[in-house]
Amino acid sequence: MIIPVAILSLCGASAPLAAQVPLPNVGQAIGQGVGLPTIEPLGRIVDPVNQLGQDIVRDASQLLRERERMLDRFVRRNRATVEFDREGNPARRGELLVMDLAPDASRALRAAGFGVLPQEELEGLGFAVTRLAVPEGMSLAEAERQVSLLAPHASVASDAIHFQSGTAPPLMLGQASASAATTVPVGIIDGAASARIGRFPTRGFAEGAPRDSNHGSAIAHLLLQAGVSDIRVADVYGSDPAGGNALAIARGLGWLVAGGSKVVTVSLVGPRNALLERAIAAVRREGAVVVAAVGNDGPAAPPAYPASYDGVVAITGVDGNDRALIEAGRALHLDYAAPGADIIARDARNRRVRLRGTSYATQLAAARIAQAMAAGGNWRTIVDREAVDLGEAGADTTFGRGLLCARCAGR
């Protein structure tokens, strides 16, 4: 899934300046070029703060409505394999994921008609998950309620779907030069990258995977341009309509970290999920840094995951004038911003394309983190030192701790 064209129309050069700023930061937008009114007779004064706030709320609301329509269309198109879970999020139909399932609870679930598959030890993560087949005719939402009653001490999750957070319109552009190289291994959770981009160790975690994708190819190419030479790819999409699910992502994370990836980029967004949250924590205990996009559903959307999990480096995007992307989503915390518009890379057919979205900002940030790790010492200290402070002085909710990769190749 990519960001709909309807949203892109909000983000082009014709969008008003007010539409380039996330919801909470009206004052910052005024400081970026929206002037105060000249004095006019009473009743004719236009209050730019109020007008700007109205414009931002309108655009944020439109993005949120488009997100809801997109999710509804996605579930209707794939109703054989996808349905809404108890929280209203798309998930794999007819299947739940359970951790810490006791034997007596397993017997109770079987007696209630659930199919209990053997436990699966997740490679590189140090814990197991049990898949439950939902009884025929029972909705996923009702199944979640039943399992929470029959297995009250277990951790239960739907196999929630996560969506890619970028788009690649086919505009022919010039080639960008490479940045400083690093040999720190970087792993990608996404679709597979085309062999035309490079030959990377790749494993599929979805039906039909590995399968070349434009999104995965562009991400791999951006990392190459930014100087990352050791890349591994976990394809969690393939041709599976329910690709990008939580179990596939967890399996991919484990495989990447077991294979030595020190930085893992996840340019996907979805809801909070107990399985994926545990997988992220396991990866971090192994010393890997997870870098994730805040998504492109706008500032009024729910917090994006995995960017919102504890310890994940959450990345937002800015345009060529260092203004926050209108479509940038939000997380429960924000670490850094990076260029997310007018970026150049290559798609699965090796065509040069212009990219926009927080997916691509995430790759540039991940490359800088990998380079900082290669330098030794604390990568955070190194990255903080080079981050360009934007907006309010110090860390803020629009740009985090500052802009990374302001002059990276591909911008």
Side-chain angles (χ1 to χ4, degrees):
M1 294 291 295
I2 60 175
I3 188 171
V5 174
I7 295 181
L8 289 177
S9 66
L10 293 171
C11 310
S14 62
L17 178 61
Q20 305 296 325
V21 187
L23 189 59
N25 294 280
V26 174
Q28 174 206 317
I30 293 173
Q32 290 181 342
V34 179
L36 293 173
T38 57
I39 297 177
E40 297 186 24
L42 188 63
R44 295 180 56 197
I45 295 177
V46 177
D47 183 342
V49 175
N50 288 339
Q51 183 61 50
L52 180 56
Q54 292 169 10
D55 289 344
I56 292 170
V57 169
R58 184 187 63 246
D59 290 336
S61 298
Q62 185 169 346
L63 285 165
L64 183 58
R65 287 193 299 272
E66 182 57 37
R67 174 185 182 272
E68 292 168 350
R69 287 193 291 266
M70 182 272 288
L71 294 178
D72 185 64
R73 288 193 299 266
F74 172 74
V75 172
R76 284 190 283 109
R77 279 200 309 267
N78 299 287
R79 63 185 61 192
T81 52
V82 176
E83 64 178 300
F84 287 112
D85 65 12
R86 183 165 56 172
E87 301 298 326
N89 299 305
R92 183 178 292 280
R93 177 178 287 277
E95 186 170 301
L96 291 174
L97 307 172
V98 184
M99 295 160 288
D100 311 317
L101 184 62
D104 59 339
S106 178
R107 289 190 292 270
L109 288 170
R110 291 180 190 276
F114 287 87
V116 182
L117 301 180
Q119 277 194 343
E120 175 187 345
E121 291 288 338
L122 295 176
E123 178 186 8
L125 300 182
F127 68 92
V129 61
T130 299
R131 295 161 58 201
L132 297 181
V134 173
E136 187 71 27
M138 183 181 291
S139 71
L140 197 60
E142 176 59 26
E144 288 182 81
R145 284 188 285 269
Q146 292 291 326
V147 174
S148 65
L149 293 173
L150 295 169
H153 301 297
S155 181
V156 184
S158 68
D159 202 1
I161 308 299
H162 295 66
F163 299 99
Q164 295 165 326
S165 53
T167 186
L171 302 177
M172 302 301 291
L173 297 168
Q175 173 68 18
S177 58
S179 298
T182 177
T183 57
V184 169
V186 175
I188 299 172
I189 298 281
D190 209 282
S194 168
R196 296 177 178 180
I197 304 300
R199 296 192 178 277
F200 313 111
T202 302
R203 181 179 291 184
F205 296 92
E207 179 182 334
R211 183 189 187 194
D212 293 355
S213 76
N214 286 330
H215 196 264
S217 296
I219 279 173
H221 190 251
L222 274 177
L223 287 172
L224 285 174
Q225 287 188 110
V228 177
S229 59
D230 189 343
I231 297 173
R232 292 160 58 87
V233 182
D235 182 355
V236 298
Y237 286 104
S239 58
D240 190 347
N245 56 79
L247 182 56
I249 296 171
R251 288 167 170 163
L253 284 168
W255 175 71
L256 288 171
V257 173
S261 296
K262 299 301 182 185
V263 178
V264 179
T265 75
V266 190
S267 286
L268 320 176
V269 293
R272 187 169 189 170
N273 180 273
L275 171 67
L276 196 50
E277 187 166 11
R278 188 175 294 195
I280 293 285
V283 164
R284 293 185 58 233
R285 284 195 297 272
E286 293 298 317
V289 177
V290 179
V291 189
V294 299
N296 300 325
D297 292 323
Y305 291 89
S308 290
Y309 293 127
D310 288 346
V312 172
V313 182
I315 305 297
T316 191
V318 300
D319 65 14
N321 293 316
D322 292 342
R323 298 174 300 194
L325 299 182
I326 176 183
E327 70 269 32
R330 64 189 182 94
L332 297 181
H333 64 272
L334 182 62
D335 290 278
Y336 301 103
D342 298 321
I343 300 170
I344 304 166
R346 292 180 179 267
D347 65 10
R349 289 191 283 175
N350 207 31
R351 299 176 304 177
R352 291 188 292 271
V353 292
R354 178 183 293 170
L355 307 171
R356 181 182 178 104
T358 58
S359 279
Y360 310 115
T362 299
Q363 309 316 307
L364 300 181
R368 294 303 303 135
I369 291 170
Q371 289 159 358
M373 292 175 72
N378 187 305
W379 68 263
R380 176 80 76 173
T381 300
I382 296 171
V383 169
D384 280 351
R385 194 161 51 237
E386 73 176 52
V388 179
D389 191 17
L390 300 177
E392 301 172 6
D396 58 57
T397 58
T398 302
F399 303 104
R401 302 154 79 96
L403 174 66
L404 302 182
C405 220
R407 295 180 176 82
C408 283
R411 191 176 189 189

